[in-house]
Amino acid sequence: MTSTASSTDTRQGQATEERRPSWQQRLRRFGYNAPPRSDVRDRLVPPYAEPSPRIWAAFGLRHEVAERITRWSGWGGPLLVTLMAGLMRFWNLGSPKAVIFDETYYAKDAWALIHRGYEVNWDKNANDLILQNNGHVGIPSDAAYVVHPPVGKYVIGLGEWMFGFNPFGWRFMTALLGTLSVLLLCRIGRRMFRSTFLGCLAGALMAVDGLHFVMSRTSLLDGVLMFFVLAAFGCLVVDRDRARARLAAALPTDPDGLVRPDAHIAESTRLGWRPWRWTAGLMLGLALGTKWSGLYILFAFCVMAVLWDVGARRVAGARHPYVAALKHDTGITFLATVPVAIATYFISWTGWILSPTNGKGGYFRNWAATDGKGGSWAFLPDWLRSLWHYEHEVYEFHVGLSSPHTYQSNPWSWIVLGRPVSYFYESPLPGKDGCPADAGDKCAREVLALGTPLLWWAACFAIVYVLWRWAFRRDWRAGAIACGIAAGYLPWFMYQERTIFFFYAIIFVPFLCLAVAMMIGAILGPPGSTERRRVIGAASAGVLVLLIAWNFIYFWPLYTGTAIPIDQWRSRMWLDTWV
């Protein structure tokens, strides 16, 4: 009797356990869907989406022509978007013919670096002399104390070396890198979304973002930093595809020709030296050598790369993917990124290191031989001890920077464009400096570092969508986009008492554009949607994109320093904090 009752209780308990919903079922109410079971090769390296045959039929194109267009569109589309971005960024690049905002530091530091190997102190009237004499001025020799590494200034100096010490020269390289970053984003988006259209859309969105546009036409370091960060991210995305393809090639194939998971292969396969990951390390080193905020990117991208390896081995069938990734992937990830980035950083200081040590070289270059003489670290080379002291002083400066500034802002306000930065402002009279003669009142001529409002406000919703898709759909693309935004944005919340500016947000603008493109892809509808769903989605997405493009055109005068009547300028001040 007791045995029978016990057996009955056990069966009832098992039935109750079977009826209990799994965690996937519980999450499904929030939108979670388990990934479909399919060929492991397609899960490791998904194929690229191809346009519907109905599109080609609508244009009356033969199948062979359609295939050729599809094949060439992978580069043709991004290059067309890049051409558009480049024409806008290089148009009238030398205007305003002035030293605007922090160009007063970086343009002159760049000129000194390429001629002396270190930054120097300039006279107070140096800006006027440079503009009046088209850059033909003497270069001082007195070393200056600067608080940013030299890579970005060397990049700016390359443009000055080619085109002269003038506004066009010191803006050339930032315009070039800004244009190339659009190409990078098109190709990165295409690879991530497996869609040429969505990749080109992401690049086009960045091409018409006001902040990216203004930073591409101004010789500040942050645009250079953004380029190297985006390049590093792109290298890691390519490396992810190459590594997963190699893993898929090692897996067995069943009699039906489908690739099947295999625990032993997934846990033991080595993925080689992975040159794209080493290139990413170089790009991260150049980012760190431009601004120290690249250090946060370095850490975040390393963690992301390791998690990608874990995910690849799990899909391939590994029972212990974290152990396998730790054994085979983590070491190469560390070697290819951290040491390479640090070595690149130190190499960027070569000009300072090779400068004279008799007090006539770079700032603090002779510290180890004077104030820092002796001590427990005397066995290290003098240049290394002097550089370490310099870096320590720079760190103290950064953490203690709290001097108020008219255009400083709190990072909480960045994502909604709470406080943009005015780089340049003049009030020309009618008939002068481009102000229409019939303007009546004076005009306003401004260069305002302001993101395209409708793009950024749409990005607020896109961020929520990306986080939802990462949490409940386990979409690696959403996770990667969220990582890029978080790494470029969240660290600034630790320094809310510091003097910081909205234009620092340029570093995560590419990831905002990827987020908006991903959201628009969802609006368009998933594959297999009904024609009615597709039409509604295409109309909605088209309206959003056109509104963003119109918004950029509307604010064009504020991005380019074009003189407009003061009433038109006021009509563009949508928020009181923009003035």
Side-chain angles (χ1 to χ4, degrees):
M1 182 70 179
T2 304
S3 175
T4 303
S6 176
S7 176
T8 302
D9 291 343
T10 301
R11 288 195 299 271
Q12 289 176 347
Q14 290 175 344
T16 301
E17 188 68 26
E18 290 174 359
R19 288 195 301 269
R20 184 176 300 166
S22 66
W23 66 269
Q24 292 99 329
Q25 291 172 323
R26 290 194 295 270
L27 283 179
R28 194 168 290 126
R29 71 189 65 175
F30 299 105
Y32 172 83
N33 283 324
R37 299 299 178 184
S38 60
D39 190 329
V40 174
R41 181 192 291 112
D42 289 342
R43 293 175 61 198
L44 285 170
V45 188
Y48 284 87
E50 294 188 1
S52 170
R54 290 181 298 177
I55 297 178
W56 306 124
F59 287 99
L61 297 176
R62 299 194 312 273
H63 178 70
E64 298 78 10
V65 177
E67 279 191 343
R68 190 176 298 115
I69 293 175
T70 301
R71 186 168 58 252
W72 285 98
S73 65
W75 275 103
L79 287 174
L80 285 175
V81 175
T82 304
L83 176 62
M84 176 193 72
L87 290 175
M88 291 191 301
R89 279 151 180 76
F90 280 97
W91 175 83
N92 204 18
L93 183 60
S95 177
K97 188 178 179 181
V99 180
I100 64 175
F101 201 62
D102 280 355
E103 285 185 343
T104 188
Y105 304 116
Y106 305 129
K108 291 181 291 190
D109 286 347
W111 188 248
L113 271 175
I114 63 173
H115 285 87
R116 298 202 180 278
Y118 58 91
E119 298 87 342
V120 300
N121 284 313
W122 295 80
D123 293 335
K124 292 183 178 180
N125 63 340
N127 291 346
D128 294 333
L129 293 175
I130 292 167
L131 294 172
Q132 292 170 8
N133 297 285
N134 196 30
H136 298 294
V137 296
I139 304 173
S141 58
D142 183 26
Y145 173 66
V146 297
V147 295
H148 291 300
V151 169
K153 287 169 279 189
Y154 275 121
V155 170
I156 293 170
L158 182 60
E160 294 174 334
W161 175 69
M162 291 187 292
F163 298 102
F165 193 24
N166 54 61
F168 181 87
W170 62 62
R171 295 170 191 160
F172 175 82
M173 286 303 297
T174 52
L176 178 62
L177 295 188
T179 301
L180 292 178
S181 66
V182 172
L183 176 61
L184 285 179
L185 191 63
C186 288
R187 292 289 297 176
I188 291 169
R190 179 180 183 272
R191 185 175 289 272
M192 290 178 67
F193 302 133
R194 289 306 197 254
S195 166
T196 299
F197 170 75
L198 289 181
C200 290
L201 176 62
L205 290 174
M206 192 163 73
V208 296
D209 173 59
L211 180 62
H212 185 274
F213 179 79
V214 170
M215 295 299 290
S216 298
R217 293 168 55 88
T218 313
S219 64
L220 269 65
L221 302 180
D222 301 83
V224 181
L225 172 64
M226 176 275 303
F227 175 83
F228 289 132
V229 169
L230 182 60
F233 180 78
C235 290
L236 290 176
V237 171
V238 175
D239 170 77
R240 180 184 185 275
D241 272 4
R242 299 289 176 87
R244 291 168 76 93
R246 185 166 183 170
L247 198 56
L251 292 173
T253 305
D254 67 10
D256 296 326
L258 297 178
V259 174
R260 294 302 183 190
D262 184 282
H264 174 71
I265 292 176
E267 294 180 355
S268 62
T269 299
R270 296 182 180 274
L271 301 176
W273 283 98
R274 309 176 73 164
W276 283 101
R277 191 159 286 191
W278 290 83
T279 308
L282 174 63
M283 294 297 106
L284 290 169
L286 293 173
L288 182 60
T290 301
K291 269 194 165 185
W292 279 7
S293 51
L295 187 63
Y296 299 111
I297 305 293
L298 172 64
F299 174 78
F301 281 8
C302 285
V303 173
M304 180 180 68
V306 171
L307 292 179
W308 283 353
D309 291 334
V310 171
R313 294 187 182 274
R314 178 187 289 116
V315 171
R319 295 189 181 92
H320 306 287
Y322 284 94
V323 175
L326 180 64
K327 182 178 179 181
H328 298 298
D329 305 318
T330 306
I332 191 66
T333 299
F334 176 82
L335 288 176
T337 52
V338 178
V340 171
I342 293 175
T344 303
Y345 180 82
F346 278 113
I347 291 173
S348 71
W349 284 90
T350 299
W352 181 90
I353 293 170
L354 297 179
S355 67
T357 59
N358 58 0
K360 297 182 179 180
Y363 202 86
F364 279 138
R365 181 60 186 88
N366 64 335
W367 178 86
T370 54
D371 297 342
K373 192 173 184 179
S376 56
W377 298 96
F379 64 92
L380 294 174
D382 281 359
W383 70 265
L384 183 57
R385 294 170 58 222
S386 295
L387 182 58
W388 180 263
H389 176 72
Y390 194 168
E391 303 288 53
H392 178 266
E393 292 298 310
V394 169
Y395 173 79
E396 293 293 331
F397 170 84
H398 281 306
V399 297
L401 181 61
S402 58
S403 303
H405 192 283
T406 303
Y407 291 104
Q408 71 182 64
S409 59
N410 190 286
W412 287 103
S413 70
W414 292 358
I415 199 68
V416 293
L417 306 179
R419 183 59 170 165
V421 182
S422 180
Y423 287 173
F424 171 83
Y425 186 88
E426 284 184 349
S427 300
L429 296 175
K432 295 184 178 180
D433 295 330
C435 182
D438 59 351
D441 200 354
K442 63 182 179 180
C443 287
R445 188 174 179 225
E446 183 175 28
V447 176
L448 185 66
L450 169 72
T452 302
L454 293 185
L455 173 60
W456 280 70
W457 295 339
C460 295
F461 296 96
I463 291 172
V464 175
Y465 170 72
V466 162
L467 292 175
W468 169 81
R469 192 168 183 90
W470 177 43
F472 296 110
R473 294 293 178 90
R474 297 198 167 188
D475 193 322
W476 75 270
R477 302 167 301 177
I481 294 169
C483 177
I485 296 172
Y489 188 24
L490 296 185
W492 294 109
F493 287 90
M494 298 187 295
Y495 306 103
Q496 296 185 58
E497 303 302 321
R498 264 199 54 190
T499 306
I500 54 180
F501 301 91
F502 164 68
F503 64 82
Y504 296 170
I506 184 63
I507 193 173
F508 60 85
V509 164
F511 301 98
L512 291 182
C513 295
L514 286 172
V516 174
M518 190 172 187
M519 182 180 70
I520 290 176
I523 293 174
L524 289 171
S529 298
T530 64
E531 186 171 349
R532 177 184 176 85
R533 170 69 177 83
R534 284 288 193 180
V535 169
I536 294 174
S540 303
V543 169
L544 176 59
V545 173
L546 289 175
L547 285 175
I548 291 171
W550 164 82
N551 204 206
F552 174 75
I553 295 171
Y554 180 71
F555 283 96
W556 174 271
L558 300 189
Y559 298 144
T560 57
T562 302
I564 55 176
I566 192 67
D567 289 340
Q568 294 185 23
W569 176 85
R570 291 194 185 103
S571 69
R572 288 165 171 80
M573 296 294 105
W574 286 4
L575 300 178
D576 292 341
T577 54
W578 291 4
V579 179

